[in-house]
Amino acid sequence: MIIDTAVFVQSNTKIEKLPTANIPEFAFIGRSNVGKSSLINMLTGEKGLAKISSKPGKTITINHFLINDKWYLVDLPGYGFAKRAKTEREKWKKMLNNYLLRRENLLYTFVLIDVRIPPQQNDLEFIDWLGESQLPFVIVFTKSDKVGKNALAQLVAAYKKQLLEKWEELPEIFISSSEKALGRDEILSFIDRTCSDFPGLYSSSINT
Ligand SMILES: Nc1nc2c(ncn2[C@@H]2O[C@H](COP(=O)(O)OP(=O)(O)O)[C@@H](O)[C@H]2O)c(=O)[nH]1
Ligand SMILES: [Mg+2]
């Protein structure tokens, strides 16, 4: 897929105010510093695109970008937020879960994992929750340029092993490096393929 246009649409704190759910949507989530903004910029080829939604200290929001007038890329703040108040964290978790469970055009969630960091409790809990909720998701291992080829294979294998302790099947897995633009073609063709599987979601009303 060639990205012709990537446009920031809106940042939202209320599910009711999200853009009309008439085109496919793909959400990106991961712990802070996992490389989410870098990946979004790398995928869209728009340096600084994801920055709009990541002003530190601001309200936690769901951020929509319209890609090629055909699908939404959604930048979701991570789970965790160690530095934020517990009430705020819980409020966000509720909204996040609501969004993930109720957004009818959401086709896949991309869970970003820093490949160098051993499996973390909150990532595993989130993955388990997605699985238990039967929500389609894939895993993207980020920052693959930071480790050697052998280490990379070992780290990914160890993560898979951990998941297989609980789950019978593994989700689709992508390896990325925003630095080296690795994983871009794979992720974009996955999105392209998935969109084609849901032709009914396309609507011309988006251009009006
Ligand atoms: N070497 C390398 N560094 C990366 C990569 N992706 C992100 N980073 C660095 O990791 C840090 C956090 O990245 P950012 O995209 O802001 O993470 P976010 O908090 O998840 O949005 C920044 O210093 C990035 O330059 C990558 O693929 N390779
Ligand atoms: Mg960011």
Side-chain angles (χ1 to χ4, degrees), residues 84-128:
R84 288 183 188 253
K86 196 173 174 211
T87 48
E88 202 187 346
R89 286 200 312 259
E90 270 162 14
K91 203 171 132 198
W92 165 245
K93 193 175 170 191
K94 211 177 263 178
M95 179 163 111
L96 175 66
N97 290 2
N98 246 331
Y99 163 77
L100 293 168
L101 290 169
R102 303 229 300 253
R103 184 74 171 160
E104 60 265 39
N105 61 333
L106 176 64
L107 298 188
Y108 273 89
T109 297
F110 286 73
V111 180
L112 274 52
I113 308 272
D114 186 329
V115 77
R116 300 166 304 166
I117 301 176
Q120 300 290 299
Q121 183 84 5
N122 55 2
D123 286 328
L124 294 171
E125 272 172 17
F126 182 64
I127 287 171
D128 285 347

mmCIF file of all heavy atoms in Angstrom, residues 84-128:
data_model
loop_
_atom_site.group_PDB
_atom_site.id
_atom_site.type_symbol
_atom_site.label_atom_id
_atom_site.label_comp_id
_atom_site.label_asym_id
_atom_site.label_seq_id
_atom_site.Cartn_x
_atom_site.Cartn_y
_atom_site.Cartn_z
ATOM 1 N N ARG A 84 0.669 8.783 36.550
ATOM 2 C CA ARG A 84 -0.624 9.446 36.711
ATOM 3 C C ARG A 84 -1.380 8.932 37.927
ATOM 4 O O ARG A 84 -1.113 7.855 38.431
ATOM 5 C CB ARG A 84 -1.474 9.259 35.460
ATOM 6 C CG ARG A 84 -0.950 10.085 34.295
ATOM 7 C CD ARG A 84 -1.842 9.938 33.102
ATOM 8 N NE ARG A 84 -1.247 10.568 31.940
ATOM 9 C CZ ARG A 84 -1.668 11.712 31.406
ATOM 10 N NH1 ARG A 84 -2.686 12.358 31.938
ATOM 11 N NH2 ARG A 84 -1.081 12.202 30.353
ATOM 12 N N ALA A 85 -2.350 9.727 38.357
ATOM 13 C CA ALA A 85 -3.139 9.348 39.527
ATOM 14 C C ALA A 85 -3.942 8.084 39.219
ATOM 15 O O ALA A 85 -4.320 7.842 38.078
ATOM 16 C CB ALA A 85 -4.079 10.484 39.886
ATOM 17 N N LYS A 86 -4.171 7.295 40.255
ATOM 18 C CA LYS A 86 -4.847 6.018 40.080
ATOM 19 C C LYS A 86 -6.253 6.197 39.506
ATOM 20 O O LYS A 86 -6.671 5.443 38.632
ATOM 21 C CB LYS A 86 -4.921 5.304 41.436
ATOM 22 C CG LYS A 86 -5.239 3.844 41.285
ATOM 23 C CD LYS A 86 -5.146 3.073 42.581
ATOM 24 C CE LYS A 86 -5.631 1.649 42.364
ATOM 25 N NZ LYS A 86 -6.253 1.098 43.573
ATOM 26 N N THR A 87 -6.965 7.209 39.994
ATOM 27 C CA THR A 87 -8.329 7.448 39.497
ATOM 28 C C THR A 87 -8.311 7.746 38.003
ATOM 29 O O THR A 87 -9.149 7.259 37.261
ATOM 30 C CB THR A 87 -8.992 8.646 40.219
ATOM 31 O OG1 THR A 87 -8.062 9.728 40.230
ATOM 32 C CG2 THR A 87 -9.391 8.291 41.620
ATOM 33 N N GLU A 88 -7.308 8.520 37.573
ATOM 34 C CA GLU A 88 -7.204 8.868 36.160
ATOM 35 C C GLU A 88 -6.865 7.626 35.328
ATOM 36 O O GLU A 88 -7.382 7.422 34.237
ATOM 37 C CB GLU A 88 -6.128 9.940 35.973
ATOM 38 C CG GLU A 88 -6.300 10.729 34.712
ATOM 39 C CD GLU A 88 -5.136 11.672 34.443
ATOM 40 O OE1 GLU A 88 -4.336 11.903 35.372
ATOM 41 O OE2 GLU A 88 -5.024 12.142 33.320
ATOM 42 N N ARG A 89 -5.970 6.808 35.875
ATOM 43 C CA ARG A 89 -5.591 5.568 35.181
ATOM 44 C C ARG A 89 -6.800 4.658 35.008
ATOM 45 O O ARG A 89 -7.015 4.060 33.975
ATOM 46 C CB ARG A 89 -4.516 4.819 35.972
ATOM 47 C CG ARG A 89 -3.156 5.449 35.893
ATOM 48 C CD ARG A 89 -2.051 4.454 36.244
ATOM 49 N NE ARG A 89 -2.269 3.685 37.471
ATOM 50 C CZ ARG A 89 -1.690 3.950 38.642
ATOM 51 N NH1 ARG A 89 -0.855 4.956 38.749
ATOM 52 N NH2 ARG A 89 -1.915 3.205 39.689
ATOM 53 N N GLU A 90 -7.610 4.580 36.072
ATOM 54 C CA GLU A 90 -8.764 3.688 36.007
ATOM 55 C C GLU A 90 -9.835 4.198 35.056
ATOM 56 O O GLU A 90 -10.477 3.429 34.356
ATOM 57 C CB GLU A 90 -9.312 3.437 37.410
ATOM 58 C CG GLU A 90 -8.613 2.211 37.976
ATOM 59 C CD GLU A 90 -8.706 2.044 39.466
ATOM 60 O OE1 GLU A 90 -9.532 2.732 40.100
ATOM 61 O OE2 GLU A 90 -7.940 1.221 39.994
ATOM 62 N N LYS A 91 -9.973 5.507 35.045
ATOM 63 C CA LYS A 91 -10.920 6.136 34.126
ATOM 64 C C LYS A 91 -10.513 5.836 32.673
ATOM 65 O O LYS A 91 -11.334 5.486 31.834
ATOM 66 C CB LYS A 91 -10.922 7.649 34.377
ATOM 67 C CG LYS A 91 -12.176 8.345 33.919
ATOM 68 C CD LYS A 91 -12.179 9.788 34.396
ATOM 69 C CE LYS A 91 -12.526 10.707 33.255
ATOM 70 N NZ LYS A 91 -12.160 12.106 33.482
ATOM 71 N N TRP A 92 -9.211 5.970 32.430
ATOM 72 C CA TRP A 92 -8.707 5.706 31.088
ATOM 73 C C TRP A 92 -8.901 4.251 30.708
ATOM 74 O O TRP A 92 -9.338 3.935 29.608
ATOM 75 C CB TRP A 92 -7.239 6.119 30.955
ATOM 76 C CG TRP A 92 -6.619 5.537 29.713
ATOM 77 C CD1 TRP A 92 -5.622 4.626 29.646
ATOM 78 C CD2 TRP A 92 -7.000 5.792 28.350
ATOM 79 N NE1 TRP A 92 -5.342 4.299 28.335
ATOM 80 C CE2 TRP A 92 -6.187 5.001 27.526
ATOM 81 C CE3 TRP A 92 -7.961 6.606 27.758
ATOM 82 C CZ2 TRP A 92 -6.287 5.005 26.138
ATOM 83 C CZ3 TRP A 92 -8.067 6.602 26.368
ATOM 84 C CH2 TRP A 92 -7.232 5.807 25.582
ATOM 85 N N LYS A 93 -8.598 3.344 31.624
ATOM 86 C CA LYS A 93 -8.724 1.925 31.344
ATOM 87 C C LYS A 93 -10.169 1.584 30.950
ATOM 88 O O LYS A 93 -10.412 0.817 30.022
ATOM 89 C CB LYS A 93 -8.305 1.115 32.574
ATOM 90 C CG LYS A 93 -8.107 -0.353 32.271
ATOM 91 C CD LYS A 93 -7.589 -1.125 33.454
ATOM 92 C CE LYS A 93 -7.649 -2.618 33.176
ATOM 93 N NZ LYS A 93 -7.399 -3.397 34.394
ATOM 94 N N LYS A 94 -11.104 2.196 31.668
ATOM 95 C CA LYS A 94 -12.511 1.959 31.393
ATOM 96 C C LYS A 94 -12.860 2.445 29.975
ATOM 97 O O LYS A 94 -13.519 1.761 29.213
ATOM 98 C CB LYS A 94 -13.363 2.700 32.431
ATOM 99 C CG LYS A 94 -14.672 1.996 32.733
ATOM 100 C CD LYS A 94 -15.457 2.734 33.818
ATOM 101 C CE LYS A 94 -15.255 2.138 35.196
ATOM 102 N NZ LYS A 94 -15.990 2.903 36.228
ATOM 103 N N MET A 95 -12.376 3.646 29.660
ATOM 104 C CA MET A 95 -12.680 4.208 28.347
ATOM 105 C C MET A 95 -12.016 3.382 27.244
ATOM 106 O O MET A 95 -12.620 3.103 26.210
ATOM 107 C CB MET A 95 -12.214 5.655 28.269
ATOM 108 C CG MET A 95 -12.493 6.253 26.911
ATOM 109 S SD MET A 95 -12.406 8.016 26.918
ATOM 110 C CE MET A 95 -10.966 8.289 25.955
ATOM 111 N N LEU A 96 -10.776 2.980 27.492
ATOM 112 C CA LEU A 96 -10.039 2.170 26.525
ATOM 113 C C LEU A 96 -10.770 0.851 26.263
ATOM 114 O O LEU A 96 -10.998 0.465 25.116
ATOM 115 C CB LEU A 96 -8.628 1.904 27.068
ATOM 116 C CG LEU A 96 -7.740 0.981 26.247
ATOM 117 C CD1 LEU A 96 -7.403 1.620 24.913
ATOM 118 C CD2 LEU A 96 -6.448 0.668 27.009
ATOM 119 N N ASN A 97 -11.154 0.175 27.348
ATOM 120 C CA ASN A 97 -11.858 -1.096 27.201
ATOM 121 C C ASN A 97 -13.174 -0.916 26.451
ATOM 122 O O ASN A 97 -13.525 -1.714 25.590
ATOM 123 C CB ASN A 97 -12.100 -1.738 28.563
ATOM 124 C CG ASN A 97 -10.799 -2.240 29.180
ATOM 125 O OD1 ASN A 97 -9.727 -2.063 28.608
ATOM 126 N ND2 ASN A 97 -10.889 -2.859 30.346
ATOM 127 N N ASN A 98 -13.867 0.165 26.782
ATOM 128 C CA ASN A 98 -15.114 0.493 26.115
ATOM 129 C C ASN A 98 -14.913 0.688 24.628
ATOM 130 O O ASN A 98 -15.664 0.159 23.807
ATOM 131 C CB ASN A 98 -15.629 1.831 26.668
ATOM 132 C CG ASN A 98 -16.905 1.625 27.428
ATOM 133 O OD1 ASN A 98 -17.657 0.714 27.132
ATOM 134 N ND2 ASN A 98 -17.119 2.481 28.403
ATOM 135 N N TYR A 99 -13.891 1.456 24.313
ATOM 136 C CA TYR A 99 -13.570 1.722 22.910
ATOM 137 C C TYR A 99 -13.279 0.408 22.189
ATOM 138 O O TYR A 99 -13.823 0.121 21.122
ATOM 139 C CB TYR A 99 -12.378 2.679 22.800
ATOM 140 C CG TYR A 99 -11.737 2.682 21.441
ATOM 141 C CD1 TYR A 99 -12.326 3.347 20.369
ATOM 142 C CD2 TYR A 99 -10.551 1.982 21.213
ATOM 143 C CE1 TYR A 99 -11.751 3.311 19.104
ATOM 144 C CE2 TYR A 99 -9.970 1.952 19.966
ATOM 145 C CZ TYR A 99 -10.577 2.608 18.913
ATOM 146 O OH TYR A 99 -10.013 2.560 17.666
ATOM 147 N N LEU A 100 -12.401 -0.394 22.763
ATOM 148 C CA LEU A 100 -11.978 -1.632 22.104
ATOM 149 C C LEU A 100 -13.142 -2.616 21.936
ATOM 150 O O LEU A 100 -13.238 -3.306 20.923
ATOM 151 C CB LEU A 100 -10.840 -2.285 22.892
ATOM 152 C CG LEU A 100 -9.516 -1.497 22.901
ATOM 153 C CD1 LEU A 100 -8.557 -2.073 23.929
ATOM 154 C CD2 LEU A 100 -8.861 -1.486 21.516
ATOM 155 N N LEU A 101 -14.021 -2.654 22.919
ATOM 156 C CA LEU A 101 -15.135 -3.602 22.861
ATOM 157 C C LEU A 101 -16.270 -3.116 21.967
ATOM 158 O O LEU A 101 -16.972 -3.926 21.367
ATOM 159 C CB LEU A 101 -15.696 -3.846 24.271
ATOM 160 C CG LEU A 101 -14.818 -4.641 25.236
ATOM 161 C CD1 LEU A 101 -15.381 -4.568 26.653
ATOM 162 C CD2 LEU A 101 -14.697 -6.098 24.791
ATOM 163 N N ARG A 102 -16.423 -1.803 21.858
ATOM 164 C CA ARG A 102 -17.632 -1.292 21.209
ATOM 165 C C ARG A 102 -17.434 -0.657 19.832
ATOM 166 O O ARG A 102 -18.398 -0.442 19.118
ATOM 167 C CB ARG A 102 -18.296 -0.274 22.131
ATOM 168 C CG ARG A 102 -18.633 -0.862 23.488
ATOM 169 C CD ARG A 102 -20.044 -0.576 23.899
ATOM 170 N NE ARG A 102 -20.298 0.855 23.985
ATOM 171 C CZ ARG A 102 -20.434 1.518 25.137
ATOM 172 N NH1 ARG A 102 -20.338 0.880 26.272
ATOM 173 N NH2 ARG A 102 -20.682 2.804 25.138
ATOM 174 N N ARG A 103 -16.230 -0.353 19.477
ATOM 175 C CA ARG A 103 -15.995 0.332 18.207
ATOM 176 C C ARG A 103 -16.191 -0.656 17.065
ATOM 177 O O ARG A 103 -15.340 -1.539 16.832
ATOM 178 C CB ARG A 103 -14.582 0.910 18.209
ATOM 179 C CG ARG A 103 -14.245 1.730 16.987
ATOM 180 C CD ARG A 103 -14.908 3.078 16.988
ATOM 181 N NE ARG A 103 -14.407 3.914 15.910
ATOM 182 C CZ ARG A 103 -15.057 4.968 15.426
ATOM 183 N NH1 ARG A 103 -16.215 5.329 15.947
ATOM 184 N NH2 ARG A 103 -14.536 5.672 14.460
ATOM 185 N N GLU A 104 -17.276 -0.529 16.331
ATOM 186 C CA GLU A 104 -17.651 -1.603 15.411
ATOM 187 C C GLU A 104 -16.782 -1.682 14.156
ATOM 188 O O GLU A 104 -16.708 -2.727 13.530
ATOM 189 C CB GLU A 104 -19.147 -1.564 15.067
ATOM 190 C CG GLU A 104 -19.621 -0.306 14.414
ATOM 191 C CD GLU A 104 -20.209 0.701 15.412
ATOM 192 O OE1 GLU A 104 -19.679 0.854 16.523
ATOM 193 O OE2 GLU A 104 -21.180 1.353 15.058
ATOM 194 N N ASN A 105 -16.125 -0.587 13.787
ATOM 195 C CA ASN A 105 -15.265 -0.628 12.593
ATOM 196 C C ASN A 105 -13.802 -0.946 12.930
ATOM 197 O O ASN A 105 -12.952 -0.966 12.044
ATOM 198 C CB ASN A 105 -15.330 0.703 11.832
ATOM 199 C CG ASN A 105 -14.849 1.859 12.683
ATOM 200 O OD1 ASN A 105 -14.940 1.798 13.910
ATOM 201 N ND2 ASN A 105 -14.333 2.895 12.064
ATOM 202 N N LEU A 106 -13.533 -1.200 14.203
ATOM 203 C CA LEU A 106 -12.158 -1.533 14.612
ATOM 204 C C LEU A 106 -11.839 -2.961 14.177
ATOM 205 O O LEU A 106 -12.404 -3.911 14.696
ATOM 206 C CB LEU A 106 -12.004 -1.392 16.130
ATOM 207 C CG LEU A 106 -10.652 -1.792 16.711
ATOM 208 C CD1 LEU A 106 -9.536 -0.889 16.188
ATOM 209 C CD2 LEU A 106 -10.689 -1.738 18.241
ATOM 210 N N LEU A 107 -10.929 -3.103 13.205
ATOM 211 C CA LEU A 107 -10.656 -4.431 12.669
ATOM 212 C C LEU A 107 -9.533 -5.133 13.434
ATOM 213 O O LEU A 107 -9.610 -6.319 13.700
ATOM 214 C CB LEU A 107 -10.309 -4.342 11.179
ATOM 215 C CG LEU A 107 -11.425 -3.780 10.284
ATOM 216 C CD1 LEU A 107 -11.035 -3.917 8.818
ATOM 217 C CD2 LEU A 107 -12.750 -4.472 10.538
ATOM 218 N N TYR A 108 -8.490 -4.387 13.776
ATOM 219 C CA TYR A 108 -7.382 -4.989 14.526
ATOM 220 C C TYR A 108 -6.754 -3.962 15.459
ATOM 221 O O TYR A 108 -6.701 -2.770 15.139
ATOM 222 C CB TYR A 108 -6.279 -5.499 13.590
ATOM 223 C CG TYR A 108 -6.511 -6.902 13.103
ATOM 224 C CD1 TYR A 108 -7.244 -7.138 11.951
ATOM 225 C CD2 TYR A 108 -6.020 -7.988 13.820
ATOM 226 C CE1 TYR A 108 -7.480 -8.435 11.499
ATOM 227 C CE2 TYR A 108 -6.242 -9.287 13.379
ATOM 228 C CZ TYR A 108 -6.971 -9.500 12.224
ATOM 229 O OH TYR A 108 -7.192 -10.779 11.788
ATOM 230 N N THR A 109 -6.238 -4.468 16.555
ATOM 231 C CA THR A 109 -5.399 -3.650 17.435
ATOM 232 C C THR A 109 -3.962 -4.136 17.288
ATOM 233 O O THR A 109 -3.703 -5.342 17.327
ATOM 234 C CB THR A 109 -5.858 -3.774 18.894
ATOM 235 O OG1 THR A 109 -7.191 -3.261 18.992
ATOM 236 C CG2 THR A 109 -4.960 -2.990 19.837
ATOM 237 N N PHE A 110 -3.067 -3.202 17.093
ATOM 238 C CA PHE A 110 -1.632 -3.504 17.030
ATOM 239 C C PHE A 110 -1.039 -3.264 18.408
ATOM 240 O O PHE A 110 -1.016 -2.126 18.875
ATOM 241 C CB PHE A 110 -0.944 -2.604 15.996
ATOM 242 C CG PHE A 110 -1.231 -2.977 14.580
ATOM 243 C CD1 PHE A 110 -2.473 -2.718 14.009
ATOM 244 C CD2 PHE A 110 -0.269 -3.595 13.799
ATOM 245 C CE1 PHE A 110 -2.752 -3.081 12.690
ATOM 246 C CE2 PHE A 110 -0.529 -3.957 12.472
ATOM 247 C CZ PHE A 110 -1.769 -3.698 11.923
ATOM 248 N N VAL A 111 -0.600 -4.341 19.044
ATOM 249 C CA VAL A 111 0.006 -4.214 20.363
ATOM 250 C C VAL A 111 1.520 -4.124 20.170
ATOM 251 O O VAL A 111 2.145 -5.057 19.658
ATOM 252 C CB VAL A 111 -0.340 -5.421 21.263
ATOM 253 C CG1 VAL A 111 0.303 -5.265 22.637
ATOM 254 C CG2 VAL A 111 -1.855 -5.563 21.392
ATOM 255 N N LEU A 112 2.090 -2.999 20.579
ATOM 256 C CA LEU A 112 3.520 -2.777 20.389
ATOM 257 C C LEU A 112 4.300 -3.222 21.620
ATOM 258 O O LEU A 112 3.926 -2.895 22.751
ATOM 259 C CB LEU A 112 3.789 -1.284 20.127
ATOM 260 C CG LEU A 112 3.661 -0.802 18.684
ATOM 261 C CD1 LEU A 112 2.333 -1.195 18.071
ATOM 262 C CD2 LEU A 112 3.852 0.704 18.611
ATOM 263 N N ILE A 113 5.367 -3.965 21.359
ATOM 264 C CA ILE A 113 6.226 -4.467 22.433
ATOM 265 C C ILE A 113 7.675 -4.148 22.068
ATOM 266 O O ILE A 113 8.110 -4.481 20.962
ATOM 267 C CB ILE A 113 6.099 -6.016 22.559
ATOM 268 C CG1 ILE A 113 4.633 -6.471 22.672
ATOM 269 C CG2 ILE A 113 6.977 -6.553 23.668
ATOM 270 C CD1 ILE A 113 4.074 -6.504 24.062
ATOM 271 N N ASP A 114 8.385 -3.532 22.975
ATOM 272 C CA ASP A 114 9.815 -3.276 22.784
ATOM 273 C C ASP A 114 10.530 -4.629 22.865
ATOM 274 O O ASP A 114 10.522 -5.278 23.914
ATOM 275 C CB ASP A 114 10.326 -2.333 23.887
ATOM 276 C CG ASP A 114 11.775 -1.910 23.672
ATOM 277 O OD1 ASP A 114 12.556 -2.701 23.104
ATOM 278 O OD2 ASP A 114 12.123 -0.792 24.095
ATOM 279 N N VAL A 115 11.119 -5.033 21.756
ATOM 280 C CA VAL A 115 11.655 -6.396 21.670
ATOM 281 C C VAL A 115 12.774 -6.660 22.685
ATOM 282 O O VAL A 115 13.030 -7.803 23.060
ATOM 283 C CB VAL A 115 12.129 -6.697 20.220
ATOM 284 C CG1 VAL A 115 13.473 -6.044 19.924
ATOM 285 C CG2 VAL A 115 12.183 -8.198 19.974
ATOM 286 N N ARG A 116 13.419 -5.597 23.178
ATOM 287 C CA ARG A 116 14.546 -5.786 24.099
ATOM 288 C C ARG A 116 14.108 -6.076 25.533
ATOM 289 O O ARG A 116 14.893 -6.533 26.355
ATOM 290 C CB ARG A 116 15.421 -4.527 24.122
ATOM 291 C CG ARG A 116 16.010 -4.162 22.785
ATOM 292 C CD ARG A 116 16.559 -2.765 22.843
ATOM 293 N NE ARG A 116 15.520 -1.806 23.264
ATOM 294 C CZ ARG A 116 15.750 -0.562 23.656
ATOM 295 N NH1 ARG A 116 16.986 -0.113 23.708
ATOM 296 N NH2 ARG A 116 14.755 0.226 23.989
ATOM 297 N N ILE A 117 12.850 -5.719 25.821
ATOM 298 C CA ILE A 117 12.388 -5.807 27.217
ATOM 299 C C ILE A 117 11.660 -7.133 27.457
ATOM 300 O O ILE A 117 10.787 -7.518 26.681
ATOM 301 C CB ILE A 117 11.467 -4.611 27.543
ATOM 302 C CG1 ILE A 117 12.249 -3.304 27.325
ATOM 303 C CG2 ILE A 117 10.922 -4.702 28.960
ATOM 304 C CD1 ILE A 117 11.441 -2.039 27.509
ATOM 305 N N PRO A 118 12.032 -7.866 28.510
ATOM 306 C CA PRO A 118 11.354 -9.143 28.774
ATOM 307 C C PRO A 118 9.857 -8.923 29.032
ATOM 308 O O PRO A 118 9.457 -7.822 29.401
ATOM 309 C CB PRO A 118 12.058 -9.670 30.034
ATOM 310 C CG PRO A 118 12.813 -8.526 30.595
ATOM 311 C CD PRO A 118 13.080 -7.570 29.487
ATOM 312 N N PRO A 119 9.040 -9.959 28.801
ATOM 313 C CA PRO A 119 7.585 -9.814 28.940
ATOM 314 C C PRO A 119 7.187 -9.103 30.241
ATOM 315 O O PRO A 119 7.627 -9.489 31.323
ATOM 316 C CB PRO A 119 7.094 -11.264 28.930
ATOM 317 C CG PRO A 119 8.114 -11.991 28.132
ATOM 318 C CD PRO A 119 9.421 -11.307 28.405
ATOM 319 N N GLN A 120 6.382 -8.053 30.096
ATOM 320 C CA GLN A 120 5.950 -7.248 31.226
ATOM 321 C C GLN A 120 4.516 -7.607 31.603
ATOM 322 O O GLN A 120 3.683 -7.838 30.729
ATOM 323 C CB GLN A 120 6.005 -5.759 30.852
ATOM 324 C CG GLN A 120 7.378 -5.266 30.466
ATOM 325 C CD GLN A 120 8.314 -5.218 31.659
ATOM 326 O OE1 GLN A 120 8.062 -4.499 32.615
ATOM 327 N NE2 GLN A 120 9.380 -6.000 31.603
ATOM 328 N N GLN A 121 4.287 -7.576 32.905
ATOM 329 C CA GLN A 121 2.967 -7.908 33.444
ATOM 330 C C GLN A 121 1.815 -7.173 32.730
ATOM 331 O O GLN A 121 0.849 -7.789 32.299
ATOM 332 C CB GLN A 121 2.962 -7.547 34.934
ATOM 333 C CG GLN A 121 1.682 -7.902 35.655
ATOM 334 C CD GLN A 121 1.684 -9.359 36.091
ATOM 335 O OE1 GLN A 121 2.686 -10.074 35.937
ATOM 336 N NE2 GLN A 121 0.567 -9.810 36.621
ATOM 337 N N ASN A 122 1.956 -5.843 32.587
ATOM 338 C CA ASN A 122 0.800 -5.108 32.022
ATOM 339 C C ASN A 122 0.572 -5.408 30.537
ATOM 340 O O ASN A 122 -0.563 -5.435 30.080
ATOM 341 C CB ASN A 122 0.852 -3.602 32.319
ATOM 342 C CG ASN A 122 2.133 -2.946 31.874
ATOM 343 O OD1 ASN A 122 3.002 -3.591 31.304
ATOM 344 N ND2 ASN A 122 2.247 -1.655 32.128
ATOM 345 N N ASP A 123 1.657 -5.682 29.806
ATOM 346 C CA ASP A 123 1.490 -6.090 28.412
ATOM 347 C C ASP A 123 0.783 -7.448 28.343
ATOM 348 O O ASP A 123 -0.139 -7.641 27.560
ATOM 349 C CB ASP A 123 2.851 -6.213 27.718
ATOM 350 C CG ASP A 123 3.465 -4.849 27.416
ATOM 351 O OD1 ASP A 123 2.710 -3.895 27.166
ATOM 352 O OD2 ASP A 123 4.707 -4.751 27.424
ATOM 353 N N LEU A 124 1.251 -8.373 29.175
ATOM 354 C CA LEU A 124 0.675 -9.721 29.155
ATOM 355 C C LEU A 124 -0.785 -9.695 29.573
ATOM 356 O O LEU A 124 -1.631 -10.369 28.977
ATOM 357 C CB LEU A 124 1.479 -10.659 30.069
ATOM 358 C CG LEU A 124 2.918 -10.942 29.604
ATOM 359 C CD1 LEU A 124 3.687 -11.690 30.681
ATOM 360 C CD2 LEU A 124 2.938 -11.729 28.297
ATOM 361 N N GLU A 125 -1.088 -8.882 30.581
ATOM 362 C CA GLU A 125 -2.481 -8.775 31.036
ATOM 363 C C GLU A 125 -3.362 -8.214 29.935
ATOM 364 O O GLU A 125 -4.488 -8.670 29.726
ATOM 365 C CB GLU A 125 -2.583 -7.862 32.269
ATOM 366 C CG GLU A 125 -2.376 -8.624 33.563
ATOM 367 C CD GLU A 125 -2.281 -7.706 34.777
ATOM 368 O OE1 GLU A 125 -2.688 -6.524 34.674
ATOM 369 O OE2 GLU A 125 -1.786 -8.176 35.814
ATOM 370 N N PHE A 126 -2.837 -7.225 29.239
ATOM 371 C CA PHE A 126 -3.617 -6.608 28.159
ATOM 372 C C PHE A 126 -3.849 -7.617 27.027
ATOM 373 O O PHE A 126 -4.966 -7.756 26.522
ATOM 374 C CB PHE A 126 -2.915 -5.353 27.643
ATOM 375 C CG PHE A 126 -3.678 -4.637 26.573
ATOM 376 C CD1 PHE A 126 -4.912 -4.067 26.846
ATOM 377 C CD2 PHE A 126 -3.174 -4.536 25.289
ATOM 378 C CE1 PHE A 126 -5.638 -3.408 25.844
ATOM 379 C CE2 PHE A 126 -3.886 -3.880 24.290
ATOM 380 C CZ PHE A 126 -5.112 -3.319 24.571
ATOM 381 N N ILE A 127 -2.799 -8.330 26.654
ATOM 382 C CA ILE A 127 -2.910 -9.349 25.610
ATOM 383 C C ILE A 127 -3.918 -10.426 26.019
ATOM 384 O O ILE A 127 -4.773 -10.831 25.228
ATOM 385 C CB ILE A 127 -1.518 -9.965 25.309
ATOM 386 C CG1 ILE A 127 -0.665 -8.941 24.539
ATOM 387 C CG2 ILE A 127 -1.633 -11.268 24.532
ATOM 388 C CD1 ILE A 127 0.793 -9.338 24.370
ATOM 389 N N ASP A 128 -3.844 -10.852 27.283
ATOM 390 C CA ASP A 128 -4.796 -11.858 27.773
ATOM 391 C C ASP A 128 -6.226 -11.332 27.697
ATOM 392 O O ASP A 128 -7.149 -12.046 27.304
ATOM 393 C CB ASP A 128 -4.463 -12.256 29.221
ATOM 394 C CG ASP A 128 -3.236 -13.163 29.275
ATOM 395 O OD1 ASP A 128 -2.810 -13.658 28.215
ATOM 396 O OD2 ASP A 128 -2.702 -13.366 30.386
#
